C-alpha cells in the first residue's frame, strides 16, 4: 500500500514536472499537494470474495425453526456475544440448523437481531442456486473486499499533541465545539485508539468484527473520525464537534484499510441491540449496492438511532453505493466541502445526499495517541455526526462549484479561495440540488 502510494506520487510529480515550464514553477509545489491528496482519498475499490455471501432470511424464520436469539441484553457486549455464539453453533449443527441443503460448516458468522441471516464462505455455484430457491431466504448477495482508503503515512502522524488546543477549521465551520459529554457515538470504522488522551472511548462496548478480538485502531482512519465527532475540550490536541462525547469502536476495517460489507451488517446488528435512541452512528465506508447493508441500516434508523454516512470519494452518483444511498429521516448522507465552502473534487453527489460538511485537510486524532490531517467524505460525515449528536441540525449556506481538473498530465483550476490557475473544467454538486452545509 505504502509503496504503491509512493510510486504513484513519484509518477505524478514526474508528469507535473514535465508539463511545467519555468513560468509556472509555483505549480510544481501544488502538484505535490495534489498527488498527496489523490493518494489519501483514493476512490473506494472493491472486488468480490470468491464463494463468500451474505444470506438474509425472511423475518421470523429463526423463531419458526427453534433458533430464536435470546433477547437478554444485560452486560451489553458479553450477552450479545454469548447469544450470537449460541446461534452460530446451532446454525452450524446438522441437527438443529436450518435444512438449507448446504454444508452448515460453511456458515462463518450469524446475525439475528436487526435482520436474521448469516455469512457463508466457500459456497459453490450449486450452493448459491439452492439458497436462491429456498423459501426461507430473502436475499443472497456476494460479499466484497473493499479497500476503503490508503493508510496515512507513519511520518505524517504527529506522535504527540502540541501543548495548547487547536480548533480545526471544520469544527468552526459547523458552528464550533459543543458539549457532548454524556452522549454516545458509535464509530463503524478501523477501530479507535482506545487510550488516546484526547478521546473518551467506551472500551467495554467496543468490539471488533474482523476476527482479531481487538477494537484498537491499527490504521488511523477510525480514530480520525472519532476525534472530529468528539475530541475532548481540554488543553491538548484538537476539539471535536460534540466535545467529550463517548465514542465506541466497532472495528470493521483492518490495518490495511480493507473491510467487507458482511461485517458492516454484523456491526449494525450489534448497534441495533446495544445503542439507545438519540445515539449516533458514523459510517465512513462504502461499497456497491447491497440490500443487506441497506436493510440493516434502516432497522437501526427506525429504532430512533441516527446515522451519518459518507457519500463516497469517487465523484460519482452516491445512489449507486451502500450505505450512502439509503434514505430515512434518521440517516444523513454527507458530501464534502473544502475551506471557503467549495465542492471537493472527489466528493460523490446524488439525491440521497442530505448535507455537505468539511472534508478537506481536516486535522484530527490518529492512532497511537497521534494526530494527522486527512481528506475525504470520511472526514465530512463525522462533522455531521457530531452536529446530529448535539441536537437537531440546521444549515448555513450551500456549496459552491470548485474549478479544478486533474487528468494525470495537466491540471489547472481554482481550488478553493487560495489557489488560482487558468480554468478548464470544474467540479460541482451535479445532482440538480445544491447541498446545504450542515450547522449546529
Ligand atoms: Ca483536545
Ligand atoms: Ca438521504
Ligand atoms: Ca446535491
Amino acid at each position: 500500500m505504502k509503496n504503491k502510494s509512493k510510486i504513484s506520487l513519484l509518477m505524478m510529480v514526474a508528469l507535473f514536472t514535465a508539463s511545467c515550464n519555468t513560468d509556472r514553477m509555483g505549480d510544481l509545489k501544488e502538484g505535490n499537494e495534489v498527488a498527496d491528496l489523490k493518494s489519501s482519498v483514493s476512490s473506494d475499490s472493491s472486488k468480490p470474495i470468491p464463494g463468500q455471501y451474505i444470506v438474509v432470511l425472511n423475518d421470523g424464520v429463526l423463531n419458526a425453526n427453534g433458533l430464536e436469539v435470546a433477547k437478554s441484553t444485560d452486560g451489553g457486549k458479553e450477552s450479545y456475544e454469548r447469544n450470537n455464539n449460541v446461534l452460530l453453533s446451532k446454525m452450524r449443527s446438522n441437527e438443529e440448523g436450518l435444512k438449507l441443503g448446504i454444508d452448515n460448516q460453511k456458515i462463518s458468522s450469524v446475525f439475528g437481531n436487526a435482520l436474521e441471516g448469516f455469512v457463508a464462505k466457500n459456497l459453490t455455484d450449486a450452493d448459491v442456486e439452492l439458497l436462491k430457491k429456498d423459501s426461507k431466504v430473502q436475499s443472497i448477495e456476494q460479499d466484497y473486499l473493499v479497500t476503503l482508503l490508503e493508510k496515512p503515512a507513519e511520518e505524517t502522524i504527529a506522535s504527540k499533541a502540541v501543548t495548547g488546543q487547536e480548533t480545526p477549521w471544520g469544527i468552526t465551520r459547523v458552528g464550533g465545539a459543543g458539549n457532548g459529554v454524556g452522549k454516545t457515538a458509535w464509530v463503524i470504522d478501523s477501530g479507535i485508539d482506545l487510550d488516546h488522551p484526547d478521546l473518551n472511548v467506551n472500551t467495554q462496548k467496543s468490539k471488533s468484527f474482523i476476527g482479531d478480538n481487538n477494537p484498537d485502531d491499527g490504521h488511523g482512519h477510525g480514530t480520525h473520525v472519532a476525534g472530529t465527532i468528539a475530541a475532548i475540550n481540554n488543553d491538548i490536541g484538537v476539539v471535536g464537534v460534540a466535545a467529550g462525547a463517548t465514542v465506541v469502536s466497532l472495528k470493521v476495517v483492518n490495518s490495511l484499510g480493507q473491510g467487507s460489507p458482511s461485517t458492516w451488517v454484523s456491526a449494525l446488528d450489534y448497534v441495533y441491540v446495544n445503542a439507545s435512541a438519540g445515539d449516533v452512528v458514523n459510517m465512513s465506508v462504502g461499497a456497491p449496492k447491497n440490500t443487506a447493508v441497506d436493510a440493516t441500516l434502516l432497522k437501526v434508523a427506525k429504532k430512533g438511532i441516527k446515522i451519518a454516512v459518507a457519500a463516497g470519494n469517487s465523484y460519482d452518483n452516491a445512489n449507486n453505493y451502500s450505505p450512502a444511498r439509503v434514505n430515512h429521516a434518521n440517516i444523513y448522507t454527507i458530501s464534502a466541502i473544502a475551506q471557503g465552502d467549495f465542492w471537493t473534487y472527489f466528493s460523490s453527489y446524488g439525491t440521497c445526499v442530505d448535507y455537505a460538511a468539511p472534508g478537506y485537510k481536516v486535522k484530527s486524532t490518529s492512532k497511537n495517541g497521534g494526530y494527522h490531517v486527512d481528506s475525504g467524505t470520511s472526514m465530512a460525515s463525522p462533522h455531521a455526526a457530531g452536529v446530529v449528536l448535539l441536537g437537531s441540525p440546521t444549515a448555513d449556506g450551500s456549496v459552491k462549484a470548485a474549478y479544478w481538473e486533474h487528468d494525470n498530465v495537466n491540471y489547472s483550476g481554482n481550488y478553493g479561495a487560495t489557489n488560482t490557475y487558468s480554468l478548464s473544467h470544474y467540479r460541482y454538486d451535479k445532482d440538480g440540488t445544491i447541498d446545504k452545509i450542515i450547522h449546529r
Side-chain angles (χ1 to χ4, degrees):
M1 268 310 165
K2 207 169 153 190
N3 285 342
K4 187 180 145 216
S5 127
K6 274 190 177 158
I7 289 165
S8 66
L9 172 73
L10 286 171
M11 282 176 65
M12 287 190 207
V13 170
L15 287 165
F16 283 128
T17 307
S19 68
C20 284
N21 59 42
T22 48
D23 295 335
R24 299 181 63 206
M25 280 307 287
D27 287 4
L28 184 60
K29 185 167 168 286
E30 187 65 11
N32 271 295
E33 187 178 289
V34 174
D36 277 340
L37 179 60
K38 288 293 281 187
S39 69
S40 68
V41 294
S42 58
S43 298
D44 314 333
S45 69
S46 54
K47 58 181 180 183
I49 303 172
Q52 189 160 315
Y53 290 84
I54 309 171
V55 182
V56 177
L57 302 163
N58 289 314
D59 280 351
V61 163
L62 293 181
N63 209 353
N65 289 274
L67 294 164
E68 67 277 13
V69 182
K71 296 298 180 194
S72 69
T73 56
D74 59 301
K77 179 166 64 175
E78 288 69 29
S79 63
Y80 180 90
E81 290 179 343
R82 189 169 58 243
N83 297 341
N84 206 256
N85 285 336
V86 169
L87 178 61
L88 178 61
S89 65
K90 282 184 182 176
M91 294 274 282
R92 296 182 76 171
S93 106
N94 290 330
E95 293 73 34
E96 295 180 276
L98 297 171
K99 309 294 184 270
L100 296 164
I102 64 166
D103 175 359
N104 284 348
Q105 295 305 309
K106 292 182 176 178
I107 295 174
S108 60
S109 65
V110 294
F111 42 92
N113 298 283
L115 289 187
E116 302 179 10
F118 58 90
V119 180
K121 292 181 175 172
N122 304 314
L123 292 186
T124 63
D125 292 348
D127 288 337
V128 173
E129 286 311 308
L130 210 56
L131 289 169
K132 275 184 182 166
K133 287 178 192 149
D134 197 306
S135 63
K136 297 186 282 299
V137 174
Q138 188 179 97
S139 66
I140 171 164
E141 287 174 290
Q142 178 73 60
D143 200 9
Y144 285 88
L145 180 69
V146 185
T147 301
L148 299 162
L149 59 169
E150 297 279 352
K151 194 170 183 167
E154 298 292 335
E155 59 270 24
T156 65
I157 300 176
S159 59
K160 278 184 188 165
V162 288
T163 309
Q165 176 176 275
E166 128 183 29
T167 301
W169 77 266
I171 307 299
T172 304
R173 181 62 189 86
V174 300
N179 183 5
V181 174
K183 299 175 185 293
T184 301
W186 305 71
V187 178
I188 298 179
D189 213 288
S190 63
I192 299 175
D193 181 12
L194 301 177
D195 58 356
H196 198 293
D198 222 356
L199 293 171
N200 284 328
V201 186
N202 184 325
T203 55
Q204 291 299 110
K205 289 182 179 168
S206 293
K207 178 172 167 60
S208 174
F209 297 86
I210 60 171
D212 61 354
N213 200 30
N214 180 6
D216 206 349
D217 187 1
H219 183 284
H221 188 267
T223 306
H224 197 279
V225 163
T228 296
I229 302 171
I232 300 170
N233 192 357
N234 50 16
D235 60 357
I236 60 161
V238 294
V239 65
V241 180
T246 299
V247 287
V248 185
S249 164
L250 304 178
K251 187 175 178 179
V252 298
V253 175
N254 68 18
S255 61
L256 299 174
Q258 299 166 323
S260 298
S262 59
T263 62
W264 311 348
V265 172
S266 291
L268 286 166
D269 191 61
Y270 178 75
V271 164
Y272 182 81
V273 178
N274 289 296
S276 305
D279 288 1
V280 171
V281 178
N282 189 84
M283 291 186 78
S284 290
V285 293
K289 292 174 188 173
N290 185 291
T291 62
V293 169
D294 298 351
T296 320
L297 193 72
L298 270 176
K299 284 285 186 93
V300 171
K302 286 175 180 170
K303 224 182 156 182
I305 299 158
K306 299 176 181 190
I307 307 116
V309 176
N313 295 338
S314 43
Y315 194 53
D316 193 3
N317 193 330
N319 289 317
N320 295 325
Y321 298 86
S322 292
R325 67 176 181 148
V326 187
N327 288 307
H328 185 273
N330 287 339
I331 301 175
Y332 298 81
T333 300
I334 307 298
S335 61
I337 54 164
Q339 270 179 290
D341 299 349
F342 292 92
W343 187 260
T344 53
Y345 78 86
F346 52 78
S347 181
S348 289
Y349 49 84
T351 52
C352 60
V353 173
D354 300 285
Y355 291 99
Y360 182 71
K361 293 187 177 176
V362 172
K363 186 171 184 181
S364 186
T365 46
S366 190
K367 63 177 182 173
N368 300 331
Y371 297 83
H372 79 272
V373 175
D374 216 338
S375 299
T377 55
S378 285
M379 284 68 234
S381 178
H383 282 93
V387 170
V388 170
L389 191 57
L390 289 173
S392 302
T394 59
D396 172 31
S398 47
V399 297
K400 303 172 193 167
Y403 296 92
W404 182 267
E405 180 58 20
H406 183 277
D407 60 11
N408 281 349
V409 178
N410 287 300
Y411 70 95
S412 58
N414 176 4
Y415 193 81
T418 55
N419 304 316
T420 304
Y421 303 103
S422 60
L423 304 184
S424 55
H425 303 272
Y426 63 98
R427 291 214 166 171
Y428 61 104
D429 182 357
K430 62 190 283 189
D431 58 37
T433 308
I434 301 301
D435 296 349
K436 303 274 187 221
I437 298 164
I438 199 165
H439 202 269
R440 73 181 188 85

